[in-house]
Amino acid sequence: MKAQQVVTMGVHVLDVLVRPVEEIPEGQGATLVDDIRMTAAGTAGGTALTLAKLGASVRTAGAIGTDPTGDLLVQLLDGAGIDTGSLVRRVDTSTSASVLPIRPNGDRPSLHLLGANITYGLDDVPWEALAEATHLHLGGPELIGVDVAARILSYAKEHGVVTSMDLLAPGVLGSFDQIEAALPYVDHLLPNDDQLLGFTGEVDLLAGAEKLRAAGVGVVAVTRGGDGALLVTAEGTETVPAFAIDVVDTTGCGDAFSAGYLRGVGLGRTPGEAAVLGCAAAALVAEGLGSDHGDFDLAAADEFAAARKPRT
């Protein structure tokens, strides 16, 4: 089997995480906190981090600024062993960033700057590297436009690349026409439950997943937070439970699931087995602060999945 070579393409964000935050002080007030961290994140950047931990060879592609925020983002990705040569730097646009005040229960409201992510286009795509990859993961297609996303995904399919796609916008901002043209070229779609319902306009997860499959998607793997994942394939449906852990921070859990799932697919595992690895990766990330939390590899993630009890 050819070694898994993944291009993660799309959204790259520098996260600034503060924990714990129960409320914002009034006026010029101050509050002491336990931890402040900066990490690479985003549906492309965050997924790349966990894929690299799990042993995939990863090249990441997207648009960031030439500002110090972008410099730090590149440094963090480089340090994780990710090829950042396909990141384009914009001189007139800031790097995307988020400030995340993490609540004691792990919830994470966000203050977000879109930045350069929305400027990525067909002229920026590393077409040769894409054709040589085994997998393409496109994160946040609604930011670059469905026609651009469809062209990138169709090119990948033409070159025998396994394709996957994740969404960024919350369901309330989603619509089917934002993604429909790209769906025939997507082997694995990885939305969360809110996005699935919002983008399909359905009120039932299974109905939403079937609508996506009817539009051309191969496998729909829906994350449901603490309830794990729902898989909908041509063979039927399967539920995969999350693992019982003490949650510190849910930042990056969806991206970690995507990475674990895609690593499983690259290893020839069934969608259900891949989703178990995805849930394990998400749990390991949720036990600490930020998308890059956890010093684990594939063997450790598999061992975690075998030893830990599912969440009930």
Side-chain angles (χ1 to χ4, degrees), residues 192-203:
N192 63 37
D193 48 4
D194 173 68
Q195 291 167 334
L196 177 69
L197 298 178
F199 276 83
T200 62
E202 300 288 344
V203 296

Side-chain angles (χ1 to χ4, degrees), residues 10-275:
V11 177
H12 292 76
V13 182
L14 183 75
D15 278 353
V16 181
L17 303 108
V18 185
R19 175 181 180 271
V21 179
E22 297 188 55
E23 60 182 5
I24 303 298
E26 295 184 4
Q28 299 294 317
T31 298
L32 296 178
V33 297
D34 294 339
D35 201 3
I36 298 177
R37 295 192 66 234
M38 289 182 284
T39 70
T43 48
T47 305
L49 287 173
T50 302
L51 273 166
K53 285 183 181 180
L54 296 175
S57 175
V58 186
R59 175 192 295 262
T60 200
I64 62 175
T66 55
D67 48 7
T69 303
D71 293 341
L72 179 55
L73 185 57
V74 170
Q75 179 183 341
L76 292 168
L77 292 167
D78 284 341
I82 296 161
D83 184 339
T84 58
S86 295
L87 288 174
V88 294
R89 308 290 300 263
R90 304 293 195 222
V91 297
D92 56 351
T93 309
S94 300
T95 300
S96 179
S98 291
V99 177
L100 302 168
I102 309 301
R103 295 187 173 123
N105 67 353
D107 286 349
R108 50 175 181 82
S110 175
L111 305 172
H112 183 63
L113 172 67
L114 276 175
N117 284 316
I118 59 176
T119 71
Y120 195 74
L122 294 176
D123 291 342
D124 302 312
V125 176
W127 298 106
E128 290 186 10
L130 182 53
E132 294 171 357
T134 62
H135 293 71
L136 165 68
H137 179 64
L138 181 61
E142 64 271 35
L143 289 191
I144 62 175
V146 67
D147 293 335
V148 172
R151 178 69 190 95
I152 294 168
L153 289 161
S154 64
Y155 177 88
K157 291 290 290 179
E158 289 166 7
H159 289 80
V161 179
V162 176
T163 61
S164 58
M165 191 169 78
D166 189 8
L167 303 173
L168 183 69
V172 68
L173 298 179
S175 64
F176 200 62
D177 59 7
Q178 288 178 284
I179 58 173
E180 184 177 12
L183 298 179
Y185 312 108
V186 178
D187 295 317
H188 304 270
L189 185 63
L190 305 164
N192 63 37
D193 48 4
D194 173 68
Q195 291 167 334
L196 177 69
L197 298 178
F199 276 83
T200 62
E202 300 288 344
V203 296
D204 175 77
L205 290 181
L206 182 57
E210 291 294 0
K211 181 174 182 177
L212 294 167
R213 290 202 65 256
V217 175
V219 177
V220 181
V222 189
T223 55
R224 301 180 298 159
D227 292 326
L230 170 68
L231 301 178
V232 182
T233 71
E235 287 71 40
T237 64
E238 182 177 356
T239 57
V240 177
F243 292 98
I245 60 166
D246 293 325
V247 174
V248 172
D249 170 29
T250 58
T251 303
C253 287
D255 300 326
F257 174 87
S258 294
Y261 178 88
L262 296 173
R263 185 68 178 118
V265 169
L267 292 167
R269 301 182 184 183
T270 67
E273 292 166 342

